[in-house]
Amino acid sequence: MTTYCKILFLALISIACQQQPEIILNEREVYRLPIPYPTGICYSRKDSVFYLVSSDGIIATMNRKFEIIEKLAFPNNKFNGVFLDEAYIYLLTPKELMILDLTNFKVIKSFNLANLVGSKAVFQTIFFNPFKRTFVIVSNEKKPKVIELEPTRFKIIKRGSIKGIQFIAGGTVLGRYLYLLNGRDQLLYKINLKQDNRLEITLHYSIYYASGLTFAEGIGFVIVSKELRRAFVFNDKIMLK
């Protein structure tokens, strides 16, 4: 083997070792959802209830079998994502962040996202970073915008990005990890929030039109598909390691 071939061979080995392993996720169960065009999902651990939103302005609550409990329409709204805490529901529309009372679904306040970021970016997911105590919204682009907001007046603390992610359609936080859903390329990113948003692993799934992600204790990770109108349940242990 010539010196050039040896160098090339060692370089290829080095590149291969640096690549993340390709891990394919397989769904355990599939459920038909009670509303069409679902775009976001979030799980309430306190009430054992799923909150599902759609692109035609519907909010629905569901039990752990994905059966509808209650449904409410918000005419002339299009929801991209949903997050909730013990008191409020946080909804992303193409132009606004809306905050609703969790007990009666009444709108308490709203914030114009265009005023916040001065951008045409469409934000798809919102979550709370428990380590920085900030809300974070992420846009659906090849190079997503990641905006941190302080949790009371929702003023911008930081603008940034997360290396290695793109086309984000949904996300959820579990422990020290943030899981972000790439709805275009069928990828799920596992990001370490305690290590400066470091991408630890990229997982692969086989669902088309994925639009939302959450986690429910005793069930597993749930990915919803907008066009298929389905909820896919995953319980792969690799996701939790």
Side-chain angles (χ1 to χ4, degrees), residues 5-241:
C5 291
K6 288 181 180 179
I7 294 173
L8 179 61
F9 179 71
L10 292 174
L12 290 173
I13 291 177
S14 176
I15 293 171
C17 290
Q18 292 174 14
Q19 290 179 344
Q20 296 176 345
E22 182 173 306
I23 298 174
I24 306 298
L25 299 175
N26 297 305
E27 67 268 18
R28 184 188 68 191
E29 297 172 305
V30 182
Y31 296 85
R32 180 175 172 81
L33 294 170
I35 63 173
Y37 307 114
T39 51
I41 188 170
C42 192
Y43 181 73
S44 171
R45 182 178 180 181
K46 177 182 176 181
D47 305 316
S48 299
V49 170
F50 289 101
Y51 286 73
L52 187 69
V53 297
S54 74
S55 60
D56 54 2
I58 300 294
I59 302 177
T61 56
M62 305 177 297
N63 61 24
R64 287 168 65 89
K65 294 182 179 180
F66 299 91
E67 298 166 335
I68 196 163
I69 299 172
E70 186 179 4
K71 183 171 67 173
L72 188 65
F74 286 77
N76 303 318
N77 278 288
K78 176 182 178 181
F79 297 136
N80 293 341
V82 57
F83 173 79
L84 59 138
D85 56 25
E86 294 183 353
Y88 304 110
I89 305 172
Y90 304 85
L91 296 172
L92 283 177
T93 77
K95 296 181 179 180
E96 291 182 307
L97 169 61
M98 298 169 56
I99 302 177
L100 280 60
D101 189 309
L102 188 59
T103 60
N104 56 26
F105 285 35
K106 289 184 178 180
V107 179
I108 297 174
K109 60 181 74 173
S110 62
F111 298 89
N112 189 309
L113 293 178
N115 290 341
L116 283 177
V117 299
S119 169
K120 294 181 180 179
V122 176
F123 288 90
Q124 292 291 131
T125 189
I126 179 171
F127 63 91
F128 186 75
N129 185 327
F131 304 104
K132 292 188 176 181
R133 310 296 295 177
T134 58
F135 279 97
V136 183
I137 54 176
V138 184
S139 66
N140 183 14
E141 300 170 275
K142 187 173 183 179
K143 294 182 179 180
K145 294 178 177 61
V146 180
I147 309 296
E148 289 188 42
L149 306 169
E150 64 92 20
T152 54
R153 292 181 294 175
F154 289 87
K155 292 188 177 296
I156 292 179
I157 295 175
K158 181 181 179 181
R159 293 178 174 89
S161 61
I162 300 176
K163 186 177 180 181
I165 71 169
Q166 57 184 2
F167 303 113
I168 300 305
T172 190
V173 173
L174 183 60
R176 63 178 177 172
Y177 294 109
L178 165 65
Y179 297 85
L180 288 177
L181 186 70
N182 178 328
R184 194 197 73 164
D185 301 319
Q186 300 174 314
L187 302 174
L188 181 63
Y189 307 113
K190 183 179 180 181
I191 295 159
N192 195 322
L193 293 174
K194 292 195 72 174
Q195 294 188 8
D196 197 27
N197 293 339
R198 180 172 63 88
L199 176 60
E200 289 206 346
I201 194 168
T202 300
L203 307 164
H204 298 247
Y205 60 88
S206 58
I207 300 168
Y208 293 103
Y209 313 111
S211 56
L213 170 71
T214 193
F215 178 83
E217 295 83 356
I219 294 179
F221 284 87
V222 178
I223 296 177
V224 299
S225 168
K226 181 178 179 181
E227 299 298 330
L228 299 180
R229 193 178 173 177
R230 296 289 189 274
F232 299 83
V233 176
F234 298 80
N235 63 350
D236 298 71
K237 293 181 179 179
I238 185 65
M239 299 171 77
L240 298 173
K241 289 182 178 179

